[in-house]
Amino acid sequence: MASSADQLPLPGAGAPSTFEEATYRKVARRLTPLLLLCYVVAYLDRVNIGFAKLQMAADLQLSDTVYGLGAGIFFIGYFFFEVPSNLILHRVGARIWIARIMITWGIISALTMFVTTPTMFYVMRFLLGLAEAGFFPGIILYLTYWYPAHRRGRMTTWFMTAIALSGVIGGPISGYILKTFNGVNGWHGWQWLFLLEGLPSIVVGVIVFAMLDDRIGKAKWLTDEEKQLLERNIKAEEAEKEDPPLGTVLTSPRVLLMSLIYFSFVMGLYGVSFWLPTIIKATGVTDAFAIGLLSAIPFAAAVIAMVLIARSADRMRERRWHVALPAAAGAVGLVLSVAWAHNTLLAMTALTIATAGIITTLPLFWSLPTSFLAGAGAAAGIAMVNSIGNLAGFLSPYAVGWLKQATAANDSGMYMLAAFMVLGGLLVLSVPGRMVNK
């Protein structure tokens, strides 16, 4: 007689059962809050330099070019250790490796408070990137262990709402710290900013070590029937994917195309993330706390846009247009932010459109490479795409800073970012729909 597990429906064999839906809801309740918390503190540590600049640049005599280079050099360290880090995670498990990443980057982020020269600034940003390398692609890989493609888009979106949530939460908090703690204990506000926003990463790293399960089979909070259902769904999908040798993955035209697409979108992301406070200040707002509150608005809108568009993409099982259209919206918003630069209300409207469009492209983009890679190939391929794409995190803030200093205006930098968003959207539409719409 067949067991109840043997009678569970296969993926694609009709509508999901009530039991299957309940099981995935259970997994989401367990994983989503923890992963979301991880990325909120991660992203906050990565981009709080944008708020620190409001005081740090004057205190340390940093030019816009020096700041842009320091902000972006994070991604050089990130680039070098990305692929090795993901391969290590695939071997030793997410629990140990994600915890290690979070604790080390929290320590380095907090120590940035002691920077006194441009060289020290560059070194600490490089080390922060080295410490954090592997976190994001590691989580994307981790989700492939739990969810088939048609469910993974929405889960990736929930995870990546952390980018927007860190802006919603981090903007007001960062502005408050800069304004309130400046001078306390003889430290500048930006020093307190690095310390107080670095400590949560260490705490969350300890929580990850205690709570995260490496694989479905190790989850004691799942019943045997639930584990069998989840593993069957994953195995059915893995059978249709490629798991090529490492060398083949790293030279694959499809992986390189995905890298270029992601590079284009990350140009927009970090151009906005690192420079948003400065752009808002240029509209005439001078109070640090007010800048923090205003910076939360575009990210709050992005949370709503991300969830709604991901829900539509999963329901329709269509990915390309759900990525390309937000990319176009992001480009339009960037151009309008230049046209309306001298009116705070209009500029904030444009920046909200730009931020929502740019950030919405990111989680749905990751449904593209994960739809055709599996196993160690997925570990290497995802890390490859993320590492090359995140080189834009180096180029974008530096290029915006250089253009701003060369032209004494934000216009050229925003036009450049808009062009990359358009390029990324067009490249997405060049991907065959049969390959990614699952």
Side-chain angles (χ1 to χ4, degrees), residues 329-412:
V332 170
L334 288 168
V335 172
L336 290 178
S337 74
V338 171
W340 297 339
H342 300 295
N343 183 303
T344 300
L345 177 60
L346 292 178
M348 286 304 305
T349 301
L351 289 169
T352 298
I353 295 170
T355 304
I358 291 167
I359 293 180
T360 296
T361 63
L362 302 175
L364 289 176
F365 162 79
W366 283 107
S367 65
L368 308 185
T370 56
S371 67
F372 61 85
L373 290 170
I382 291 169
M384 174 82 168
V385 170
N386 195 57
S387 60
I388 291 178
N390 271 288
L391 284 177
F394 167 74
L395 177 61
S396 181
Y398 178 69
V400 171
W402 183 84
L403 288 169
K404 182 176 183 294
Q405 188 165 313
T407 63
N410 292 317
D411 299 23
S412 299

Side-chain angles (χ1 to χ4, degrees), residues 23 29 41 96 205 244 267 288 302 320 349:
T23 300
R29 285 194 299 269
V41 297
I96 292 174
M267 283 291 293
R320 299 184 307 155
T349 301

Side-chain angles (χ1 to χ4, degrees), residues 3 28 62 83 93 112 124 158 200 211 217 226 235 241 260 299 304 323 341 387 438:
S3 68
L62 304 179
V83 173
T112 305
M124 294 307 292
W158 278 112
M211 292 188 60
E226 290 167 341
K235 287 177 181 177
K241 293 183 180 180
L260 180 57
F299 291 104
I304 298 170
V323 177
S387 60
K438 299 179 181 180

Side-chain angles (χ1 to χ4, degrees), residues 91-346:
R91 176 167 302 206
V92 306
R95 182 177 70 93
I96 292 174
W97 200 243
I98 296 298
R100 191 284 306 164
I101 289 173
M102 297 195 67
I103 291 170
T104 53
W105 95 52
I107 292 170
I108 293 170
S109 181
L111 290 176
T112 305
M113 67 181 291
F114 297 114
V115 163
T116 58
T117 66
T119 300
M120 290 179 67
F121 178 47
Y122 296 153
V123 169
M124 294 307 292
R125 291 292 294 175
F126 177 83
L127 292 177
L128 185 65
L130 202 66
E132 192 179 325
F135 170 76
F136 178 79
I139 297 298
I140 296 298
L141 177 64
Y142 181 69
L143 291 175
T144 69
Y145 299 158
W146 292 82
Y147 291 97
H150 69 278
R151 293 182 181 274
R152 198 161 54 242
R154 191 176 304 181
M155 286 305 302
T156 304
T157 295
W158 278 112
F159 169 60
M160 292 190 70
T161 56
I163 295 177
L165 286 173
S166 69
V168 174
I169 298 167
I173 290 176
S174 296
Y176 177 80
I177 291 172
L178 287 177
K179 183 175 182 178
T180 306
F181 284 78
N182 193 33
V184 174
N185 199 42
W187 293 345
H188 298 289
W190 62 267
Q191 291 178 296
W192 281 106
L193 180 67
F194 286 124
L195 176 63
L196 295 179
E197 293 186 355
L199 294 177
S201 295
I202 300 171
V203 174
V204 175
V206 175
I207 295 173
V208 166
F209 186 77
M211 292 188 60
L212 197 67
D213 297 290
D214 289 329
R215 297 273 187 162
I216 294 169
K218 294 185 177 181
K220 295 180 181 178
W221 43 274
L222 291 172
T223 67
D224 289 342
E225 290 78 10
E226 290 167 341
K227 290 178 183 178
Q228 289 165 2
L229 167 67
L230 296 172
E231 289 176 338
R232 178 178 295 185
N233 286 351
I234 293 298
K235 287 177 181 177
E237 181 177 81
E238 296 291 296
E240 300 177 358
K241 293 183 180 180
E242 303 172 10
D243 186 6
L246 180 60
T248 303
V249 171
L250 299 183
T251 57
S252 164
R254 285 195 291 184
V255 171
L256 294 175
L257 174 61
M258 294 296 156
S259 301
L260 180 57
I261 293 171
Y262 196 53
F263 181 94
S264 300
F265 293 156
V266 173
M267 283 291 293
L269 172 65
Y270 287 113
V272 170
S273 297
F274 285 129
W275 287 96
L276 183 61
T278 301
I279 295 170
I280 294 174
K281 185 177 181 180
T283 68
V285 182
T286 57
D287 181 77
F289 185 54
I291 292 173
L293 290 175
L294 287 174
S295 72
I297 295 173
F299 291 104
V303 172
I304 298 170
M306 290 172 77
V307 173
L308 292 179
I309 293 176
R311 185 175 298 170
S312 172
D314 277 356
R315 184 179 67 253
M316 298 175 66
R317 299 204 179 188
E318 196 288 325
R319 309 294 171 191
R320 299 184 307 155
W321 285 102
H322 282 83
V323 177
L325 291 178
V332 170
L334 288 168
V335 172
L336 290 178
S337 74
V338 171
W340 297 339
H342 300 295
N343 183 303
T344 300
L345 177 60
L346 292 178

